[in-house]
Amino acid sequence: MTDNGCGTATDPPVTDASNDPLLTDEQVLDAISGTPVSEEEGHLADSERTIGLFGSREPTFAEQYHLTRKGRLHRLREIFAIARQFDIFHGLTPVKMRLMFEALGPTFVKVGQTLSMRSEILPQEFCDELAKLRADADPMPYETVLDTIAREYGRPVDQIFASIDRTPLGSASLAQVHRARLVTGEDVAVKVQRPGVRETMAQDIDIMRSISRRATKYIKSAQIIDLNGVIEELWDSFQSETNFLIEARNLVDFREFAKDYKYMDCPKPYITLCTEHIVVMDYVEGISVSHPDQLVEAGYSLNEIGTKLVDNYAAQVLDEGFFHADPHPGNIIIHDGKIVMIDLGMTGRLSARTRSILQDIIFAVGKQDSPALAEAFLRFAGPSDTAEVNYPGLLSDLDAIVQDFGTVSLQDLDIGAFVTALIQLSRKHHVELPGIVTTVARGLVTLEGVLDEFLPDTDMIAIITAHIASTRGLRSAAKEEMKTLGIEGQKALHGTLGALAEARTAARMLTRGQLKANVEMVGSEEPIRQLSYMVDRLTMALIVVGLFVGSSIVYYAGMKPVIFGIPVIGFMGYVVAFLLSVWIVIDIFRKNRPKKRS
């Protein structure tokens, strides 16, 4: 079985007999697809969007990515064929799961990479193995690369490139990179997206959504709900990674950030030649950090490289809030005394608030301060979530984390295990961490793996802690505080102006008799309910008294007919009054009994 890198396997269709139960084509579609795609769907391009008297018609997900019933069936057969090859029905080992995800193509490679950070879904040994996933794939044919470039630019390749090397520099499941020379003479690297890869990913996501929708009908589990979140997180990531214009913008932004660091750089993009499916950037020839022996021979210090790499990554995450989200060895090369980060398709952006919380968490662990850690941790939760948090239980669990991780030396701290423990804790106490935190964690774990394997003398946590301490000096703190005050002041000014405008409108409505007020007494529901009970009982008591008095008047009036010497109307009044009295006594006794027990 081979994989063409787009998740399309060449295995024969699943039609042979075996011990495992086989599904027919219709059974597979009925079992997995809640909303079958018709053969006519999938042919409405963005340029064919319609507009009419009743508004425009947006294309559906199936139409946008050309998904058809036939295509879904074909993909399902491929998935089942690969799953059967790895004997999924009899259980998977961590290694077999990793290999199966690689065989299934780019979508499942991303699934595995995401699940590697979700130990609340998979056992830790599976997460550790899935962390080894790389998106390497068999190379695209050279002719396919040329055809894709010509189709994307709408003109012959030789009008743009003087030459393109036949042998790719790298071949991943999403794209392939070739060295080339522009007709203007620049030495460049050309990243070409594999044809149909976005449609393949969309098809896989559509299948996953269908499975998840059906599963939630029968399995009411938080794990399934979390899987829904994983699927949507994957699709958001796919959309960003398959739009190469975003990567081109990331290269521009990272070069702007790196201007303040003489030892840091990234390739320069040629924006006019970048499209949604092609990125053209400077070709940078250097030594990968995965070859430490070559670095030493070239006169570089591994310790200096590791220290600067970690310190700069801390600056990316905690100072700039814009960071490389996939710092694996293939994306870090040393060229002309600089650390060059390549392949910025995966990046993350952090708000100032999130950066501040992450700094507080790291400091709290270093000081073994559980209350400070809890306070920082709860800042991720909204006001409604915080009210539901069991603070004593959270503090107890954080004590255990501090006990496990705060007492070891910084050099021995397993940041992957620490982040995993925090994520598990957030699930347990229903504190929803922002998705970007998982991205940061994945980046830190990846970088930690690079250091452990190739730059082992680098103390990652000590460098990050020292970086935080140095950036929290008085001048830096004052600068940050002034920036925060400026932002908050601007918000307050706009809020005040908005309030004045609303007050003017309210005053105008008041003078015209058009102002109405809706008043809600927060926390008054129970007293009002109790007052309602009292009024109801008082009303019933008045009715009883009225019945007794009225029946007595009828009795002394001597009206006929009579029963037991009492006029019938008076007798009925006495009976009803008696029954209501008994009911009131029983109701009072029943309502007060729980209070006496408590």
Side-chain angles (χ1 to χ4, degrees), residues 28-37 69 72 206-207 209-214 217:
V28 170
L29 285 174
D30 291 340
I32 294 181
S33 176
T35 53
V37 183
R69 181 184 178 90
R72 176 180 289 189
D206 190 51
I207 292 171
R209 284 172 174 167
S210 298
I211 295 174
S212 182
R213 276 197 305 268
R214 287 196 168 262
K217 294 180 180 179

Side-chain angles (χ1 to χ4, degrees), residues 370-389:
S370 297
L373 180 58
E375 182 180 352
F377 190 72
L378 286 177
R379 287 169 61 191
F380 280 126
S384 58
D385 298 327
T386 305
E388 300 177 1
V389 172

Side-chain angles (χ1 to χ4, degrees), residues 18-267:
S18 77
N19 295 329
D20 295 322
L22 295 179
L23 299 177
T24 65
D25 296 346
E26 293 301 324
Q27 287 173 326
V28 170
L29 285 174
D30 291 340
I32 294 181
S33 176
T35 53
V37 183
S38 66
E39 190 65 38
E40 290 75 26
E41 287 179 326
H43 302 290
L44 182 64
D46 290 345
S47 59
E48 298 172 354
R49 218 173 264 163
T50 60
I51 185 171
L53 293 176
F54 302 102
S56 61
R57 176 177 177 267
E58 294 292 330
T60 64
F61 186 82
E63 292 169 339
Q64 186 177 359
Y65 295 99
H66 312 293
L67 307 183
T68 64
R69 181 184 178 90
K70 182 178 179 180
R72 176 180 289 189
L73 173 61
H74 179 69
R75 180 57 176 156
L76 281 170
R77 291 167 69 93
E78 291 175 347
I79 292 173
F80 271 86
I82 294 174
R84 285 168 54 81
Q85 178 182 347
F86 285 91
D87 200 18
I88 188 175
F89 301 105
H90 293 95
L92 285 173
T93 64
V95 174
K96 287 177 66 176
M97 176 177 281
R98 176 178 61 81
L99 294 175
M100 183 183 71
F101 280 173
E102 290 176 346
L104 286 169
T107 308
F108 289 87
V109 168
K110 289 294 297 180
V111 169
Q113 290 173 341
T114 301
L115 289 177
S116 69
M117 285 298 299
R118 298 298 183 88
S119 58
E120 78 278 7
I121 296 177
L122 291 177
Q124 188 61 46
E125 57 269 23
F126 282 82
C127 294
D128 294 340
E129 185 64 31
L130 292 179
K132 302 175 184 178
L133 277 169
R134 286 288 174 260
D136 299 332
D138 295 332
M140 280 192 292
Y142 183 67
E143 292 72 20
T144 302
V145 174
L146 297 181
D147 291 343
T148 301
I149 295 175
R151 184 171 58 254
E152 190 71 15
Y153 289 125
R155 49 181 167 154
V157 176
D158 56 13
Q159 291 185 11
I160 304 170
F161 299 100
S163 63
I164 300 177
D165 287 358
R166 297 187 66 90
T167 304
L169 297 171
S171 183
S173 56
L174 182 62
Q176 189 161 295
V177 182
H178 286 259
R179 186 175 182 177
R181 185 174 295 278
L182 297 176
V183 292
T184 52
E186 291 88 350
D187 196 10
V188 298
V190 184
K191 184 176 180 180
V192 182
Q193 189 173 126
R194 289 179 181 267
V197 68
R198 183 180 293 184
E199 286 72 19
T200 300
M201 288 179 165
Q203 183 76 84
D204 291 342
I205 288 293
D206 190 51
I207 292 171
M208 291 178 190
R209 284 172 174 167
S210 298
I211 295 174
S212 182
R213 276 197 305 268
R214 287 196 168 262
T216 53
K217 294 180 180 179
Y218 304 103
I219 305 175
K220 302 300 181 183
S221 167
Q223 179 170 318
I224 296 298
I225 295 174
D226 187 65
L227 283 176
N228 287 334
V230 171
I231 292 171
E232 297 310 317
E233 180 184 331
L234 283 170
W235 180 239
D236 290 341
S237 175
F238 290 157
Q239 288 180 302
S240 297
E241 288 188 63
T242 54
N243 186 350
F244 285 177
L245 289 174
I246 294 178
E247 179 172 353
R249 187 193 70 185
N250 291 339
L251 287 167
V252 173
D253 291 347
F254 196 88
R255 283 179 65 83
E256 182 67 22
F257 158 77
K259 285 195 309 184
D260 297 332
Y261 300 89
K262 293 183 179 180
Y263 60 86
M264 207 73 194
D265 202 0
C266 77

Side-chain angles (χ1 to χ4, degrees), residues 110 241 254 313 316-317 322-328 331 341-349 436 438-447:
K110 289 294 297 180
E241 288 188 63
F254 196 88
Y313 200 77
Q316 294 175 37
V317 174
F322 171 63
F323 62 96
H324 196 304
D326 190 25
H328 67 77
N331 288 340
M341 307 291 285
I342 62 175
D343 191 2
L344 271 85
M346 289 179 61
T347 60
R349 296 179 186 270
I436 192 64
T438 304
T439 305
V440 173
R442 186 164 55 236
L444 290 174
V445 171
T446 302
L447 185 60

Side-chain angles (χ1 to χ4, degrees), residues 7 81 148 208 218 366 396 401 422 426 435 447 466 482 487 522 550:
T148 301
M208 291 178 190
Y218 304 103
S396 176
I401 290 179
L422 284 181
S426 72
L447 185 60
M482 289 298 295
I487 295 173
V522 180

Side-chain angles (χ1 to χ4, degrees), residues 507-529:
R508 185 181 297 124
M509 294 175 65
L510 180 61
T511 57
R512 295 179 181 180
Q514 298 174 329
L515 188 63
K516 297 180 180 179
N518 294 325
V519 180
E520 180 182 358
M521 297 178 64
V522 180
S524 62
E525 294 83 0
E526 185 61 27
I528 291 176
R529 190 179 299 113

Side-chain angles (χ1 to χ4, degrees), residues 86 139 169 530 551 597:
F86 285 91
L169 297 171
Q530 293 294 334
S551 298
R597 288 182 176 177

